[in-house]
Amino acid sequence: NVSQPQPCNQSEYVHFWDRSMSNSDRDEEELTETQCLHDQIQSNKCFLHEIETHRALLLRDIEEYHIDKQACYDSKDVMSIFRRWIEIAYRYSPSFIALPNAVCLSTVDSERYPCGRMVLLKTIEMDNAQFIFFTNYGSNKARSLLQVSDKASMCFYWHLLDLSVRIKGVVRKADSALSDKYWRTRPKASKLSAIVSEQSQPIASKTELERKYMAMEQTYQDTQSEHVPRPLEWGGFTLTAEEIEFWNGHKYRFHDRSIFKKQNDKWRVVRLQP
C-alpha cells in the first residue's frame, strides 16, 4: 500500500532546483578552482564541438534502427551499439569520465526493497547480450541474486556526454573459467583485499580490517601474484539482457529514448517519449 502524503507545514525542505547559478552571479573571489575549470571547459569551443559531434554520431547510429519499423535484430547488433557508446565514453577517460565502466546495479533484497550500488562492468559477451561483473558471492548483492530474485537492472550514465544506457535482465553465476581468467589480471593487493574481506559483513573497526589484511600480506609475501588462488566465494555474475534502453539527453528534457526488447531471440526497437 502507498502511504498517504505527510503534512508539510512543519517540514524542512532543501530544494535543489534553484542551486544552479552562473558564475556571473558570484563574486570573483568566491569562484573555486572547480568553477574556474568548468568555465574554461565551457569556453573551449573545440572541446564542446567534439562532444556534440560524438553525441550526434551516436544518435544517428540509433536512428538507423528506426527506419524499418518491422525489422528484427540479432543480439550482436544491439550489443554493437552499446560497445560504440561505451567506447566513446572511454575516449574521455580518465580526465573527464573517471570510470566509463562504472554502472549502478540494482537488485531486490529479502524484504523486497530495491537496492542499487556501483559495480564495474568487466566484460561483455556480444552474441548473447551478456554483461559480466565480479564480486564476493557472500555480499548483499550476491545473496539477493542467488536467494531472492535473479532479475536485475544496470544503469550507466556518462555525465559529460549526457548519455545513459539502462539494461534489464536475468543474472546467473559466470563460468568459473572466466572468473579465473579475470582473477589473474587483478593486482596482488586487490586479490588479497578480496580474500580478506567478508563483503557486507559487520566488523568492529577499520583497524581490525587492516590487521587482517597485513596478516594476509605476511601469508603471501613470498608468493607471486599469479599464484595467489581465487577464493571459491569470489567470482563473476552474468546479466543476460532482455531490454536495453539508449538515452541521449537534450535541452528542456526533450530527450531521445530508444528501447530494444528481446522477443524469441530477436530484438525489436521502440521509441519512447522523454
Side-chain angles (χ1 to χ4, degrees):
N1 295 330
V2 178
S3 60
Q4 295 299 313
Q6 298 298 309
C8 60
N9 55 333
Q10 294 182 343
S11 299
E12 179 181 352
Y13 290 88
V14 178
H15 299 301
F16 297 100
W17 59 62
D18 56 356
R19 291 295 292 269
S20 297
M21 185 187 301
S22 66
N23 286 339
S24 61
D25 296 328
R26 301 186 179 96
D27 293 333
E28 192 66 31
E29 59 270 16
E30 291 180 341
L31 295 181
T32 65
E33 289 295 325
T34 301
Q35 292 159 353
C36 290
L37 180 59
H38 173 78
D39 280 356
Q40 293 174 27
I41 293 172
Q42 292 301 308
S43 62
N44 188 324
K45 293 182 179 180
C46 291
F47 182 68
L48 296 179
H49 176 72
E50 178 183 312
I51 292 174
E52 286 306 312
T53 299
H54 284 144
R55 282 172 38 79
L57 177 67
L58 297 178
L59 184 58
R60 287 197 301 271
D61 189 15
I62 290 287
E63 289 297 328
E64 292 181 4
Y65 290 84
H66 286 288
I67 295 174
D68 184 353
K69 303 296 184 183
Q70 303 303 316
C72 295
Y73 303 100
D74 293 329
S75 292
K76 196 166 186 176
D77 296 323
V78 184
M79 292 298 288
S80 293
I81 301 173
F82 174 80
R83 184 175 178 179
R84 288 191 288 272
W85 280 47
I86 196 170
E87 285 182 348
I88 290 293
Y90 266 107
R91 293 193 183 192
Y92 297 92
S93 173
S95 298
F96 298 100
I97 301 177
L99 295 168
N101 60 330
V103 59
C104 180
L105 172 74
S106 296
T107 59
V108 178
D109 70 13
S110 59
E111 296 181 328
R112 297 296 172 182
Y113 282 102
C115 298
R117 79 286 288 160
M118 302 304 295
V119 299
L120 294 178
L121 177 73
K122 290 298 184 179
T123 304
I124 58 174
E125 199 281 332
M126 302 288 287
D127 293 321
N128 296 293
Q130 294 179 334
F131 298 79
I132 301 161
F133 63 95
F134 297 87
T135 189
N136 187 306
Y137 288 139
S139 65
N140 286 339
K141 70 178 91 60
R143 291 201 304 273
S144 292
L145 291 168
L146 295 171
Q147 300 172 14
V148 182
S149 174
D150 59 0
K151 295 178 173 62
S153 67
M154 289 180 165
C155 186
F156 294 86
Y157 179 59
W158 302 298
H159 66 282
L160 179 74
L161 300 166
D162 206 13
L163 298 173
S164 180
V165 180
R166 187 173 59 85
I167 303 150
K168 185 167 72 174
V170 176
V171 179
R172 297 283 187 271
K173 274 188 176 182
D175 183 80
S176 59
L178 181 61
S179 294
D180 288 336
K181 184 176 182 179
Y182 171 62
W183 178 262
R184 289 194 292 269
T185 72
R186 289 170 65 93
K188 183 178 179 180
S190 297
K191 292 177 179 178
L192 298 183
S193 293
I195 295 172
V196 163
S197 176
E198 298 175 52
Q199 192 173 351
S200 301
Q201 298 304 307
I203 193 165
S205 66
K206 186 175 181 180
T207 301
E208 183 179 343
L209 186 62
E210 291 170 342
R211 179 186 55 77
K212 288 173 62 179
Y213 180 83
M214 288 187 290
M216 191 63 64
E217 273 190 319
Q218 289 294 317
T219 301
Y220 287 99
Q221 64 178 341
D222 297 324
T223 305
Q224 295 296 317
S225 178
E226 59 266 27
H227 298 306
V228 176
R230 175 177 68 88
L232 294 178
E233 66 272 14
W234 189 98
F237 278 107
T238 297
L239 185 151
T240 301
E242 296 178 353
E243 292 184 5
I244 303 179
E245 178 184 337
F246 297 92
W247 181 96
N248 193 319
H250 292 283
K251 283 185 177 181
Y252 312 116
R253 303 296 185 262
F254 211 65
H255 313 308
D256 280 285
R257 298 176 62 190
S258 295
I259 186 166
F260 289 81
K261 295 187 178 184
K262 190 177 182 181
Q263 300 173 347
N264 300 322
D265 294 327
K266 293 291 183 181
W267 295 76
R268 290 183 178 272
V269 63
V270 176
R271 189 186 303 278
L272 300 179
Q273 299 182 56

